[in-house]
Amino acid sequence: MRNLKRVLSLALASVMLLGMMVVGASAADKTYADLTDSDKITNQEAVSVLVDIGIIEGKTDGSYDPSATVDRATMAKLITMMLMGNVDQSAFQGTVTDLKDIDSSWAEGYIKYCYANGIIEGDGKGNFFPTEPVTVVQAAKMLLVAIGYNAENRGYSNDANWSTNIMRDAQTTLFYGSTYTTTIRSLTKGLSVKATDALTRDNAAQMIFNALFVQNYDPEYQYDGGVRYISKYTALPSLAATTYNGLNRNVGVLTAVNDDGYATVTGGDIVPTKKINGDVTLMGKAVAYYKDASGLVSSAVVEDKDNTAVTVPGDLVNNSAKSKDVTKWLTNNGLELSATNAYIVTNYVATNTRAITAADLAGIGNYAVAYVIDSNGDGVVDALVKTTKTVSEVTGAVKTKTDSDGKVTVSIPGVTAGYVSAVGYEDLSKGDLVMHITYAGTTYITECESVTGKITGYKGTSAIYIDGTSYTRSDGAYGGQTVTQMKDLDTSAKKDVTLFLDENGNALYAKLVDATSTYNVAVVLGYDTVGSSVEDSITATARLLFADGTVDVVNVSGGNGTSIAPGSTLTSSAQTAGTNYYLVAYTIDSDGNYELTKLTTSDVDFGGKDIKYTTISNASIAPGKAVFTDGFIGNSSTAFLVANYSSSNNKFSTAATTTGIANAPKYTGTADGVVITVDGTAALVFVTDGTLQDASATSNYIYIPSSVTPSYSSADKLYTYSKGYVNGEEQDIISKIALTTGAVMKVSLNDDDVVISESAHGGVAYKGVSFGNDVLTVDTATTPLVGKAYYTLADDAKVFEIDSDGKITEIAASGITADKTDGVIVLGASDMSSTMKAQYVYITKADSSATTATVSVNNNPVASANTADTAASCGTPTKNTTVTVSVTGVADGATVSVTLDREYSTSFVANATLSSDGAGAYTFTCSNPASGSVVDMVCVTVTAEDGTVATYYGSMTINA
């Protein structure tokens, strides 16, 4: 709770009198920025201020719980806190009241304080009812009296219309003298409530917040014939102005949030060093924050709800003759473009202020979420915000972990690479489609809305129809699908599909509603009968290969016309495809017997679904390939069975099995077999012949820093490396052989996890790396900028950074810092050159030391070992000639400054900055002396991203 700057002098006699005090709005122990459910708060501005100045606080679990009801005892405490600051209720417990039901209340002292000052009255029978919910009218009466209204004069007590009188003053403006003036706000400003409504924590905050800024007044009385009446009102300052030390509202536009979450507010005076939090989702919007006479009060900026944000359609044109003209659209929305001082915010990065033109709004595209903002309600656009997010499917269970500092990170298979800081992941589960973007180290995730129905048409390549409703296609370049991919899921309008939508309501991605998992299919490898027909006890048995790869012998029940009936045998004429197997769907009866339904190359109705098989030959199958062969579409439930038939014994070898197209087997050549489909979607792929290639990355990769020296046990004949990394995990490494240090190596481990062999890593080494739109981009040579190679990442891919000390840290792919000087090793499956899918990425961070720079003056080298006293000679230029200072080889993120001893040379001009390859040329013109020669000093300072500084000194003798 907050500290008070002044202590209220309170006279406690027979009656406790209301005192006023200056309560400095210093930082509360628990701030608004700490609340875990701020996104669920409607009255965010009110809650943020009251939490930050200490009137209210969150719950012990870190939430605010805005929808919870406030009881009468809590309201008494809140009003006491508003007037007194952080005071313990025990200070007032000695106050005498006639209330009989508060002795056991946790808020007894607060209730007594409010009662002694006329803020509460009870029911006249000695009851206060502390545990009952406080209503809006009851809370309004308490607040009105607390800020100076006279309950008796205003008709709040002993008046049949007390409720009406209270709501009148709570909802209307105040007046004094003979003129009416508008207050800063009324008690119910911003609320839509009835007098009898129970007050929620959210609405209580808004009413108390309003009370801080309502202008108080003091009545003056006169008498006419012994009857007292109010002659005029004298305006009094608000609680914000007095008790809260000049608390005042400030607004501006949020234009930046740094890596620590601190905001820059343009138009206000907030910069990151002020350490006020900002939410990147408010970038470009008008935000509010509060200060008092001592400085900043707010812990976080909140959206100024008075500003107007309007979504920009993706298909506007800059053509006045068209109906979708930008200017027409703006006019229809009551807006116009500003000439200057507007912002364009793209993917949470703001440009400098400039005019927004019609061209900026034309053709934004359906994939982008874009809106224009009128921050101050004057009808002029102040900002254009555009955000392009990547589309990904959640492919597994979401996991979280908490570090020793209490920071929570999350791993979302298919979306993030490893554990990252994220927002919006809480309700995600496998199969969800999300849009996401990473900014300032945090991944912001939005779950896509969806509709389910049948595809009833499409419009060229621009729209898809679901149950007759048209959905414009979003952009497929960011993980979405084309209209062709969507409509190919079903061209007969028989199957249900789920269509996922972007934030503009456009079609992103379609998936068949997964019904395959409820329909059991199998392969019959053998069939027999047991028992005697004389005894009528014949039992049919079948040896089944199931979709999960298991094989079992089961009893077969009696069948129907399409079933395999008892007594059937596997003969050449009965084979349905391939060699010696049937393809079946099955159900299991209450006795555990299987009813087998033979499948054919035509649709067989099974449980209301059409199931059939199709023979495949020379099929193309590879991991992640949804349309894997001959137009068949798989999904995350598609099972792949791989078995080889032996003609010598007419049997299949044990099948290998995988589930999901991401885990499909890979064939170097061709594959033969069959595909079982359920309503057109591949449920089971049975491959009977082909050359199978291992597409998994099963190798173990180790890294041991160069500084690590192993210990050797002559008894065990084992080396122990006390600090090493196996697949990025730090651990001791035990080996039968001496291992290479300072490099990523591939090793084989025995069952005891002891290294038994070592070889080169087998990946591809590059120099230069960046990551964006789910694509890893690397330079294709050991020198940068020669060419590019592009990789996707496996769902469970890991990215590691190796620092200058050899320490490995796992990072999210989104956390890769583009750097052309970093070394990169890309590791994957054995066929990585063709699939271009990375399993492990090791990034060796380039030494950011500034001493790697190369500096010369007029082509004369200058070393960092030089000092001002021992500067290298850099030639003897003449007056009014140009001198060039060249800087190359500076790491990304470094800054360079070039200065001269201006006692002799006064016309230094820097005409270039660092280029993309870390080079810069700086020129100046020699001036003075008028005669003779002088020595002028050149100083080049290079400051690396890590703060390392190197200084280069050179000297020149300038001749007149």
Side-chain angles (χ1 to χ4, degrees), residues 616-641:
I616 57 174
S617 178
N618 296 331
S620 173
I621 300 177
K625 190 174 181 181
V627 185
F628 57 88
T629 182
D630 297 334
F632 291 110
I633 297 175
N635 59 22
S636 58
S637 298
T638 302
F640 293 86
L641 295 180

Side-chain angles (χ1 to χ4, degrees), residues 450-485:
S450 64
V451 294
T452 298
K454 292 178 172 56
I455 299 175
T456 53
Y458 58 95
K459 181 180 179 181
T461 60
S462 64
I464 191 85
Y465 289 83
I466 301 294
D467 289 338
T469 300
S470 174
Y471 295 89
T472 301
R473 179 188 69 87
S474 190
D475 195 289
Y478 296 88
Q481 293 174 326
T482 66
V483 168
T484 299
Q485 289 172 314

Side-chain angles (χ1 to χ4, degrees), residues 184-207:
I184 294 174
R185 60 181 68 239
S186 63
L187 286 189
T188 55
K189 178 179 174 65
L191 297 178
S192 178
V193 291
K194 300 190 297 292
T196 55
D197 287 347
L199 196 65
T200 64
R201 286 170 59 86
D202 206 336
N203 290 342
Q206 186 67 48
M207 288 187 72

Side-chain angles (χ1 to χ4, degrees), residues 150-163 165-166 168:
N150 186 295
E152 182 178 354
N153 291 340
R154 301 302 294 172
Y156 304 163
S157 303
N158 302 317
D159 191 311
N161 295 317
W162 65 271
S163 178
N165 296 338
I166 292 171
R168 171 201 64 205

Side-chain angles (χ1 to χ4, degrees), residues 55-318:
I55 291 178
I56 61 178
E57 59 185 349
K59 296 195 169 183
T60 55
D61 63 358
S63 69
Y64 179 68
D65 196 10
S67 61
T69 301
V70 177
D71 61 28
R72 289 166 57 83
T74 300
M75 194 67 197
K77 176 188 176 181
L78 293 175
I79 291 177
T80 305
M81 301 288 283
M82 180 182 76
L83 297 173
M84 296 286 292
N86 183 19
V87 59
D88 192 276
Q89 61 95 24
S90 62
F92 312 114
Q93 287 183 343
T95 304
V96 177
T97 74
D98 62 359
L99 298 176
K100 299 180 297 185
D101 62 348
I102 65 171
D103 291 348
S104 61
S105 173
W106 63 270
E108 177 187 359
Y110 299 127
I111 297 168
K112 288 181 175 180
Y113 170 84
C114 291
Y115 184 86
N117 287 285
I119 296 171
I120 62 174
E121 298 180 76
D123 67 349
K125 300 178 182 179
N127 299 308
F128 176 66
F129 306 111
T131 60
E132 289 189 1
V134 67
T135 63
V136 170
V137 68
Q138 291 168 352
K141 185 260 182 180
M142 296 179 193
L143 288 168
L144 287 167
V145 174
I147 62 177
Y149 279 64
N150 186 295
E152 182 178 354
N153 291 340
R154 301 302 294 172
Y156 304 163
S157 303
N158 302 317
D159 191 311
N161 295 317
W162 65 271
S163 178
T164 301
N165 296 338
I166 292 171
M167 295 307 294
R168 171 201 64 205
D169 288 347
Q171 295 172 334
T172 58
T173 59
L174 303 174
F175 65 92
Y176 55 92
S178 60
T179 60
Y180 287 85
T181 61
T182 302
T183 60
I184 294 174
R185 60 181 68 239
S186 63
L187 286 189
T188 55
K189 178 179 174 65
L191 297 178
S192 178
V193 291
K194 300 190 297 292
T196 55
D197 287 347
L199 196 65
T200 64
R201 286 170 59 86
D202 206 336
N203 290 342
Q206 186 67 48
M207 288 187 72
I208 297 171
F209 173 72
N210 291 338
L212 295 180
F213 293 92
V214 168
Q215 189 167 14
N216 301 333
Y217 70 96
D218 188 30
E220 292 188 18
Y221 299 96
Q222 290 187 4
Y223 292 85
D224 184 2
V227 177
R228 187 176 72 165
Y229 65 93
I230 298 174
S231 61
K232 69 174 183 177
Y233 292 95
T234 301
L236 296 176
S238 67
L239 290 175
T242 55
T243 306
Y244 286 92
N245 200 23
L247 185 67
N248 64 93
R249 186 176 193 260
N250 297 261
V251 295
V253 177
L254 182 66
T255 54
V257 179
N258 71 4
D259 289 349
D260 295 319
Y262 297 137
T264 297
V265 179
T266 303
D269 59 354
I270 296 298
V271 294
T273 55
K274 294 283 184 73
K275 295 186 178 180
I276 178 171
N277 289 77
D279 185 340
V280 295
T281 61
L282 300 180
M283 285 282 286
K285 294 187 178 182
V287 292
Y289 58 96
Y290 284 77
K291 300 168 65 178
D292 69 2
S294 299
L296 187 63
V297 171
S298 294
S299 63
V301 298
V302 294
E303 183 177 359
D304 178 3
K305 295 292 181 68
D306 293 332
N307 75 96
T308 302
V310 183
T311 301
V312 180
D315 55 354
L316 294 180
V317 295
N318 189 13

Side-chain angles (χ1 to χ4, degrees), residues 696-740:
S696 62
T698 57
S699 298
N700 292 291
Y701 299 99
I702 68 168
Y703 183 89
I704 303 172
S706 302
S707 59
V708 175
T709 301
S711 61
Y712 180 73
S713 170
S714 57
D716 299 327
K717 296 183 179 181
L718 294 175
Y719 295 86
T720 298
Y721 295 81
S722 60
K723 184 182 180 182
Y725 300 87
V726 177
N727 299 329
E729 298 291 333
E730 184 175 354
Q731 63 185 67
D732 291 348
I733 297 178
I734 301 174
S735 175
K736 290 186 175 182
I737 58 175
L739 299 174
T740 303

Side-chain angles (χ1 to χ4, degrees), residues 10 114 119 133 155 214 236 262 280 294-295 323 355 370 446 523 561-562 603 606 637 643 662 728 774 873 892 925 957:
L10 183 64
C114 291
I119 296 171
V214 168
L236 296 176
Y262 297 137
V280 295
S294 299
S323 61
T446 303
V523 180
T562 60
D603 287 335
F606 186 86
S637 298
D774 287 338
S873 175
D892 284 356
T925 302
T957 301

